[in-house]
Amino acid sequence: MLDSCKLKSACNLPFICNKKIINTAGTSNAEVPLADPGMYQLDITLRRGQSLAARDRGGTSDPYVKFKIGGKEVFRSKIIHKNLNPVWEEKACILVDHLREPLYIKVFDYDFGLQDDFMGSAFLDLTQLELNRPTDVTLTLKDPHYPDHDLGIILLSVILTPKEGESRDVTMLMRKSWKRSSKELSENEVVGSYFSVKSLFWRFQTQSLRLSDLHRKSHLWRGIVSITLIEGRDLKAMDSNGLSDPYVKFRLGHQKYKSKIMPKTLNPQWREQFDFHLYEERGGVIDITAWDKDAGKRDDFIGRCQVDLSALSREQTHKLELQLEEGEGHLVLLVTLTASATVSISDLSVNSLEDQKEREEILKRYSPLRIFHNLKDVGFLQVKVIRAEGLMAADVTGKSDPFCVVELNNDRLLTHTVYKNLNPEWNKVFTFNIKDIHSVLEVTVYDEDRDRSADFLGKVAIPLLSIQNGEQKAYVLKNKQLTGPTKGVIYLEIDVIFNAVKASLRTLIPKEQKYIEEENRLSKQLLLRNFIRMKRCVMVLVNAAYYVNSCFDWDSPPRSLAAFVVVEDMLEDEEEEDDKDDKDSEKKGFINKIYAIQEVCVSVQNILDEVASFGERIKNTFNWTVPFLSWLAIVALCVFTAILYCIPLRYIVLVWGINKFTKKLRSPYAIDNNELLDFLSRVPSDVQVVQYQELKPDPSHSPYKRKKNNLG
């Protein structure tokens, strides 16, 4: 049997032997480090900035810093308000696969509700750092578009250390694998086959890189911050009528949320609930600002406040009454910090559902016997993002740098970027906790650009209830509105496991609102489409009226007789007319009137959409567009019928009334809801049915198919 060290003269290829790298060309036999020894740990202390650029009108800035490696954001600092010489003293620990990619530092000026202003960038070459030695670094900030401008400096302290524990494990694995593989080869085969040894070495290198990927299955956030905006008290009057139209903006890192607008009040009642992801171990700070909505001009600032999450205990709801700084009044919030949900990213080789033990645990967690255990945890979703084909070329080189964003409600994960490729392979597995089985999985492909926002390449929306488990499918990418196809397809394999009883109960509570949705804008096409949808709903009512009228005309005697019997047992409800608010008689300028008209048009557009959607959802419930919801409605009607048979109606009405009137006493901060409207909100409208409809891929567009045809 041939010893591995005798391969020294077999070919000109380095390999591991007794913890040394042997160069088989004979130039050196010394112990040197591996060409790519596993991972490195980069410990950075962001010290301070000096003489930074002023981006605000007051001659100051609100700077924060981003660190990026390989196009991915790996760290974001806190915001230092109104300071051109900020002191951060923040530490970051980053795992680096290799030293070829520099550390990209970007500084921004934080503008709440607007796009943050760029303040400069710099690069740190990791190959120039000495291992295991603290180094103070001073970086000069530059703007690539204005290289002569002086934008200040950033001071860092960095330490680069190799991950020795992982390297030793990889080395031992490679030595064992080499021994196993060398036993399978004779001496003549090894000496005569350069390519066999080369492929064996690359197999070792691939195996070592796979083992050194410590981030392949890790939680991306450490917890969830659940916030309920209850009310405002004694807010500052910003309008000439002595009132305000207040709304509130929240920001935690890059996450934002905007509340609804409460017209003409100084004591608004919002009762809105939303969640933020908690990325930092120590908690972070939520920035809160209150604004007064003004049509046609910039909104007025009412006041600001902050919530330091590090001062709040976890797994406990805190009622906070926050005094607004730089203004008047208070905001009342409920804040709860909870542990992280099961959301993760992993390589294709690490698959929860293929591991029999993990799969059994997941199935047990969502079995029918665990109905009342954590009602918010409805199910488990696993998404395999495999590859894409035939993407749109977004760069001038005829290529793209695609990456993929996977969203489920407010959970948002993304893949790595595959550079200069129109047929990228990601091979990533994403897992999510399902809080609402009627949620829609959105997968969007973007083209990465380092110094500006990413370019849109395509998107698909997949309702969870339409997923066929374990089936790898090619989804045709659609445009931003999901109304038509764009170039390319994406290959996904999706599995959904859920508890049907929990899912049914969650259908009757308010739907989670996405806080990253874009605001509706005035669109001629959208306004016309909503008008046509509204017209269809009105025509349904008109036809129903004609049908009722035909009963009175006795066009069909059996039908009229049946209607007569039914009408005898019914009571007519009296209609009540609501008083309309008096119109504001304040004089406005021409520009303000234009903005006011535009705002009214947007409101009309949204009202038409809501009314049309309401009618379409009722129709789609009876059309069995979503069988789960139609069956749920049938079961609910059967249960209600059985209750009416056993219990007199007056007792049911009495219990319902007592529950409604005492709800505020029992739970003062409960969010109001209507179970019927919550149910209908889960039924898709006709527009959503079109958006969720799968398009059939064209086999001739596949690059692999074209290659086979060309070869033929």
Side-chain angles (χ1 to χ4, degrees):
M1 194 61 65
L2 181 68
D3 185 74
S4 60
C5 292
K6 293 181 181 179
L7 286 173
K8 183 175 180 180
S9 59
C11 56
N12 188 17
L13 178 70
F15 63 94
I16 296 179
C17 179
N18 296 332
K19 296 187 181 180
K20 296 182 180 181
I21 296 294
I22 307 298
N23 191 322
T24 57
T27 56
S28 174
N29 196 29
E31 183 172 346
V32 294
L34 282 167
D36 194 359
M39 301 187 80
Y40 294 90
Q41 178 173 315
L42 182 64
D43 294 294
I44 308 174
T45 303
L46 174 61
R47 298 293 185 190
R48 62 186 184 276
Q50 291 182 0
S51 305
L52 301 185
R55 292 289 186 256
D56 295 338
R57 286 180 292 182
T60 62
S61 293
D62 305 317
Y64 67 92
V65 181
K66 289 182 183 179
F67 293 163
K68 286 188 173 184
I69 291 182
K72 279 186 169 183
E73 183 179 321
V74 293
F75 172 77
R76 182 184 294 225
S77 74
K78 63 184 178 184
I79 301 165
I80 306 296
H81 293 282
K82 295 181 172 53
N83 201 324
L84 299 182
N85 299 285
V87 177
W88 284 284
E89 292 296 335
E90 291 190 60
K91 295 184 178 180
C93 178
I94 303 169
L95 294 177
V96 183
D97 286 316
H98 51 75
L99 304 182
R100 295 189 298 272
E101 291 281 355
L103 178 68
Y104 190 30
I105 296 99
K106 299 177 76 173
V107 184
F108 290 90
D109 168 53
Y110 166 65
D111 286 324
F112 198 97
L114 304 173
Q115 185 174 359
D116 296 343
D117 298 320
F118 179 68
M119 296 178 63
S121 62
F123 287 93
L124 176 61
D125 188 356
L126 302 182
T127 61
Q128 302 300 316
L129 299 177
E130 294 186 37
L131 296 179
N132 301 311
R133 180 175 178 179
T135 306
D136 292 328
V137 179
T138 301
L139 300 174
T140 302
L141 297 176
K142 292 292 182 182
D143 188 338
H145 301 290
Y146 305 98
D148 298 333
H149 288 192
D150 183 13
L151 301 180
I153 60 174
I154 292 291
L155 285 79
L156 311 172
S157 294
V158 296
I159 305 176
L160 183 66
T161 55
K163 299 293 289 183
E164 297 177 358
E166 283 80 5
S167 298
R168 282 197 299 270
D169 294 339
V170 172
T171 303
M172 292 301 296
L173 175 71
M174 292 172 70
R175 289 174 64 192
K176 290 177 182 178
S177 300
W178 175 262
K179 288 179 181 179
R180 288 197 304 268
S181 300
S182 62
K183 290 178 182 179
E184 300 170 1
L185 300 173
S186 66
E187 184 171 356
N188 293 333
E189 288 173 330
V190 173
V191 173
S193 181
Y194 164 79
F195 292 105
S196 296
V197 179
K198 185 175 182 180
S199 63
L200 188 61
F201 174 76
W202 283 113
R203 193 177 81 191
F204 291 154
Q205 189 179 39
T206 304
Q207 205 166 11
S208 68
L209 290 176
R210 193 183 302 126
L211 284 174
S212 66
D213 189 5
L214 299 180
H215 279 312
R216 65 183 178 179
K217 192 170 185 182
S218 60
H219 293 291
L220 298 191
W221 46 81
R222 301 178 183 274
I224 293 176
V225 186
S226 180
I227 302 170
T228 303
L229 173 61
I230 302 297
E231 62 185 4
R233 297 176 184 170
D234 303 323
L235 300 184
K236 186 177 180 180
M238 306 302 294
D239 297 338
S240 57
N241 57 6
L243 299 172
S244 293
D245 304 317
Y247 65 94
V248 182
K249 291 181 178 180
F250 296 80
R251 177 159 179 165
L252 177 61
H254 63 281
Q255 304 169 92
K256 300 178 183 178
Y257 178 83
K258 178 182 175 182
S259 75
K260 60 188 176 185
I261 300 168
M262 305 301 294
K264 296 181 175 58
T265 180
L266 299 181
N267 298 282
Q269 298 282 325
W270 283 287
R271 308 286 172 135
E272 295 184 47
Q273 193 276 329
F274 59 96
D275 294 337
F276 279 154
H277 294 140
L278 189 61
Y279 290 89
E280 301 179 29
E281 183 68 37
R282 59 182 179 277
V285 176
I286 302 176
D287 291 311
I288 306 170
T289 52
W291 300 81
D292 168 56
K293 179 67 177 178
D294 283 327
K297 54 183 178 179
R298 189 166 184 174
D299 296 346
D300 297 323
F301 176 76
I302 296 179
R304 75 166 69 243
C305 57
Q306 291 185 332
V307 177
D308 185 1
L309 298 178
S310 63
L312 304 179
S313 57
R314 302 203 172 209
E315 308 299 337
Q316 181 180 348
T317 300
H318 304 268
K319 179 185 175 184
L320 305 177
E321 296 186 14
L322 304 173
Q323 171 73 43
L324 291 176
E325 302 173 2
E326 307 175 30
E328 300 176 6
H330 296 78
L331 293 179
V332 180
L333 312 174
L334 298 180
V335 181
T336 307
L337 278 68
T338 58
S340 175
T342 308
V343 181
S344 65
I345 299 178
S346 62
D347 285 337
L348 207 58
S349 58
V350 183
N351 186 340
S352 298
L353 294 181
E354 288 183 2
D355 186 333
Q356 190 60 31
K357 189 174 180 181
E358 283 195 47
R359 185 181 184 87
E360 289 176 359
E361 289 180 359
I362 293 171
L363 290 172
K364 183 180 178 181
R365 191 193 315 164
Y366 302 110
S367 68
L369 300 177
R370 296 173 65 87
I371 296 174
F372 300 106
H373 179 75
N374 191 3
L375 287 175
K376 291 185 178 181
D377 187 12
V378 171
F380 175 85
L381 172 67
Q382 177 176 280
V383 184
K384 294 181 183 178
V385 182
I386 300 168
R387 68 181 188 276
E389 292 179 0
L391 296 180
M392 187 189 309
D395 298 337
V396 293
T397 58
K399 299 289 185 180
S400 292
D401 304 322
F403 67 94
C404 191
V405 178
V406 183
E407 297 176 83
L408 184 69
N409 294 330
N410 291 314
D411 295 340
R412 190 171 188 265
L413 304 176
L414 48 86
T415 67
H416 61 281
T417 302
V418 180
Y419 293 98
K420 302 188 186 310
N421 202 322
L422 299 181
N423 304 294
E425 292 192 10
W426 292 290
N427 292 323
K428 291 293 180 182
V429 180
F430 300 86
T431 63
F432 298 89
N433 256 31
I434 299 174
K435 293 179 279 188
D436 187 351
I437 195 59
H438 310 289
S439 301
V440 177
L441 176 69
E442 295 182 359
V443 182
T444 312
V445 183
Y446 292 97
D447 169 66
E448 180 187 299
D449 285 313
R450 284 183 178 269
D451 295 318
R452 56 192 177 92
S453 59
D455 296 324
F456 176 85
L457 297 180
K459 181 179 183 179
V460 292
I462 309 166
L464 298 186
L465 285 172
S466 68
I467 291 170
Q468 297 177 356
N469 285 352
E471 179 182 355
Q472 185 181 134
K473 295 182 67 174
Y475 293 89
V476 176
L477 294 173
K478 297 183 178 182
N479 55 26
K480 283 186 179 181
Q481 293 75 31
L482 295 170
T483 54
T486 187
K487 195 173 181 182
V489 296
I490 186 168
Y491 288 83
L492 306 173
E493 184 180 327
I494 312 174
D495 290 273
V496 176
I497 297 173
F498 68 98
N499 185 300
V501 178
K502 285 185 182 181
S504 302
L505 295 175
R506 293 284 293 175
T507 305
L508 303 178
I509 66 172
K511 190 176 181 180
E512 181 180 3
Q513 298 296 320
K514 290 189 69 173
Y515 53 77
I516 57 174
E517 282 185 332
E518 296 182 359
E519 293 185 1
N520 292 323
R521 296 181 180 179
L522 181 62
S523 168
K524 181 180 177 182
Q525 293 82 3
L526 189 60
L527 186 61
L528 180 61
R529 186 186 72 182
N530 291 344
F531 178 77
I532 294 172
R533 293 168 60 204
M534 181 68 182
K535 183 180 176 181
R536 288 195 199 121
C537 294
V538 171
M539 290 306 298
V540 170
L541 297 177
V542 170
N543 292 333
Y546 280 133
Y547 183 85
V548 172
N549 190 54
S550 69
C551 293
F552 292 111
D553 292 339
W554 291 83
D555 294 337
S556 173
R559 187 174 64 198
S560 299
L561 183 61
F564 179 76
V565 173
V566 172
V567 169
E568 282 294 318
D569 295 331
M570 295 176 62
L571 296 174
E572 295 185 0
D573 294 329
E574 295 183 358
E575 297 183 356
E576 296 182 358
E577 295 185 357
D578 295 331
D579 295 332
K580 295 183 179 179
D581 295 330
D582 295 330
K583 295 183 179 179
D584 191 7
S585 58
E586 295 181 2
K587 293 183 179 180
K588 298 181 180 180
F590 180 71
I591 300 297
N592 289 352
K593 286 184 179 180
I594 292 178
Y595 279 109
I597 292 172
Q598 183 177 355
E599 189 169 316
V600 169
C601 290
V602 171
S603 299
V604 171
Q605 175 181 287
N606 294 339
I607 290 171
L608 289 174
D609 177 60
E610 289 179 7
V611 175
S613 297
F614 183 79
E616 291 167 355
R617 288 187 170 111
I618 294 174
K619 178 198 70 173
N620 291 335
T621 302
F622 291 100
N623 284 352
W624 292 75
T625 303
V626 182
F628 181 90
L629 289 171
S630 298
W631 276 116
L632 181 60
I634 289 175
V635 171
L637 287 173
C638 292
V639 171
F640 186 66
T641 303
I643 292 174
L644 280 176
Y645 182 80
C646 299
I647 304 174
L649 179 60
R650 59 180 179 274
Y651 293 127
I652 297 175
V653 173
L654 180 63
V655 172
W656 175 83
I658 292 173
N659 175 64
K660 282 292 183 183
F661 281 104
T662 61
K663 191 173 183 179
K664 291 293 183 183
L665 298 176
R666 291 181 282 109
S667 182
Y669 300 115
I671 297 175
D672 294 331
N673 73 302
N674 183 298
E675 288 78 8
L676 181 59
L677 294 180
D678 291 333
F679 171 84
L680 287 175
S681 69
R682 268 57 175 215
V683 182
S685 64
D686 288 352
V687 173
Q688 291 172 323
V689 169
V690 173
Q691 291 176 339
Y692 303 157
Q693 188 176 10
E694 291 183 28
L695 302 178
K696 293 183 178 180
D698 185 356
S700 63
H701 289 171
S702 171
Y704 299 101
K705 186 80 174 178
R706 287 199 297 269
K707 286 180 182 178
K708 290 181 180 179
N709 293 338
N710 292 337
L711 290 174

